[in-house]
């Protein structure tokens, strides 16, 4: 893909959701709801989901990729659609067998069905987690924060080049019960101290920011 084609793709992804309007209006009564609606995988619109995936993949160069918390493997579909000339090795893992079964039906990819913390994960060039850390998982915020950094370390150890994930931003936002918000300044300081080569992108959304850790 040349620079002009890439620019057109990015522009389309940022400015238009016309392609996905029919998916965004699906209801649980529709037969295609679980397969195509953004709601079952935690997004308000398909355009929002694709926008977040695009920001997680900045700098990706068709390397092997592990999609942690893959849901129905929409990241795989996004890559095939966005990077039309790509040949890549994809691995996905999700704890929900309903979602991994849908991934097989939708994209013909076989994803692991397991909690990622206890699974035997493949080593890949990139490890990506889209929306994996949005829910509260512990009794206290301190415990949630400790678990976050434990999980980041786990993902870091499975990547040869890059770990990329997103987090909810607590600054100037409405906080919803059950969701996990982490101050970007705190995250950046702690990750730089441990991993050095860290980029935090807080310039594309008021709700979400992306963290990328480079190993090389």
């Amino acid at each position: 893909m040349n620079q002009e084609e890439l620019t057109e793709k990015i522009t389309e992804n940022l400015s238009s959701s016309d392609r996905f309007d029919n998916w965004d209006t699906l209801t649980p009564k529709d037969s295609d709801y679980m397969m195509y609606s953004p709601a079952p995988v935690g997004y308000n619109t398909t355009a929002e989901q694709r926008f977040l995936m695009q920001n997680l993949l900045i700098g990706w160069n068709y390397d092997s990729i592990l999609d942690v918390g893959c849901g129905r493997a929409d990241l795989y579909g996004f890559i095939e659609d966005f990077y039309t000339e790509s040949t890549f090795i994809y691995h996905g893992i999700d704890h929900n067998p309903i979602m991994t079964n849908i991934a097989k039906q939708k994209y013909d990819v076989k994803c692991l069905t397991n909690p990622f913390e206890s699974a035997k994960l493949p080593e890949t060039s990139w490890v990506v987690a889209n929306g994996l850390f949005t829910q509260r998982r512990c009794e206290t915020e301190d415990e949630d924060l400790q678990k976050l950094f434990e999980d980041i370390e786990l993902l870091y150890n499975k990547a040869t080049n890059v770990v990329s994930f997103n987090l909810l931003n607590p600054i100037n936002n409405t906080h919803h019960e059950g969701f996990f918000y982490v101050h970007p300044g705190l995250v950046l300081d702690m990750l730089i101290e441990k991993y050095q080569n860290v980029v935090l992108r807080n310039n594309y959304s008021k709700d979400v920011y992306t963290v990328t850790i480079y190993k090389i």
Side-chain angles (χ1 to χ4, degrees), residues 7-17 19-20 46-55 78 81-82:
T7 300
E8 289 178 0
K9 282 279 187 180
I10 292 173
T11 301
E12 177 190 19
N13 210 43
L14 295 180
S15 63
S16 174
S17 61
R19 294 171 57 194
F20 315 115
T46 307
E48 175 192 35
Q49 181 189 16
R50 289 171 62 87
F51 183 40
L52 293 177
M53 291 189 288
Q54 178 184 314
N55 278 279
F78 173 79
D81 179 58
F82 193 89

Side-chain angles (χ1 to χ4, degrees), residues 7 16-17 26 43 67-68 88 101 114 123 125-126 141 144 154 157 162 166 168 172 193 196:
T7 300
S16 174
S17 61
L26 291 172
Y43 300 97
D67 183 9
V68 182
F88 62 99
N101 285 337
N114 225 325
E123 186 176 86
S125 179
W126 278 57
E141 289 186 5
D144 271 320
L154 190 158
N157 289 333
V162 175
N166 44 36
L168 294 177
N172 298 323
E193 184 173 344
Q196 287 80 54

Side-chain angles (χ1 to χ4, degrees), residues 13-93:
N13 210 43
L14 295 180
S15 63
S16 174
S17 61
D18 290 347
R19 294 171 57 194
F20 315 115
D21 281 349
N22 57 327
W23 296 351
D24 296 346
T25 57
L26 291 172
T27 71
K29 294 181 179 180
D30 294 311
S31 59
D32 290 340
Y33 176 76
M34 289 299 295
M35 187 166 290
Y36 293 106
S37 171
V41 286
Y43 300 97
N44 296 313
T45 66
T46 307
E48 175 192 35
Q49 181 189 16
R50 289 171 62 87
F51 183 40
L52 293 177
M53 291 189 288
Q54 178 184 314
N55 278 279
L56 284 169
L57 293 174
I58 291 175
W60 182 72
N61 193 28
Y62 310 146
D63 301 315
S64 59
I65 194 165
L66 170 62
D67 183 9
V68 182
C70 66
R72 59 194 180 198
D74 286 334
L75 182 69
Y76 176 88
F78 173 79
I79 291 173
E80 282 210 317
D81 179 58
F82 193 89
Y83 302 90
T84 53
E85 299 174 2
S86 63
T87 300
F88 62 99
I89 298 172
Y90 173 88
H91 300 276
I93 180 169

Side-chain angles (χ1 to χ4, degrees), residues 71-152:
R72 59 194 180 198
D74 286 334
L75 182 69
Y76 176 88
F78 173 79
I79 291 173
E80 282 210 317
D81 179 58
F82 193 89
Y83 302 90
T84 53
E85 299 174 2
S86 63
T87 300
F88 62 99
I89 298 172
Y90 173 88
H91 300 276
I93 180 169
D94 198 277
H95 72 282
N96 189 337
I98 294 174
M99 289 298 168
T100 54
N101 285 337
I102 292 174
K104 179 63 177 176
Q105 297 173 46
K106 189 174 182 180
Y107 301 112
D108 196 27
V109 294
K110 185 177 181 180
C111 300
L112 292 173
T113 305
N114 225 325
F116 73 92
E117 300 95 331
S118 58
K120 186 175 181 180
L121 299 175
E123 186 176 86
T124 56
S125 179
W126 278 57
V127 175
V128 173
N130 189 26
L132 181 66
F133 304 123
T134 57
Q135 301 286 330
R136 290 288 305 273
R137 296 179 289 166
C138 302
E139 293 295 324
T140 69
E141 289 186 5
D142 285 345
E143 290 173 329
D144 271 320
L145 192 62
Q146 180 178 347
K147 176 149 179 59
L148 171 66
F149 288 110
E150 289 173 355
D151 290 343
I152 291 171

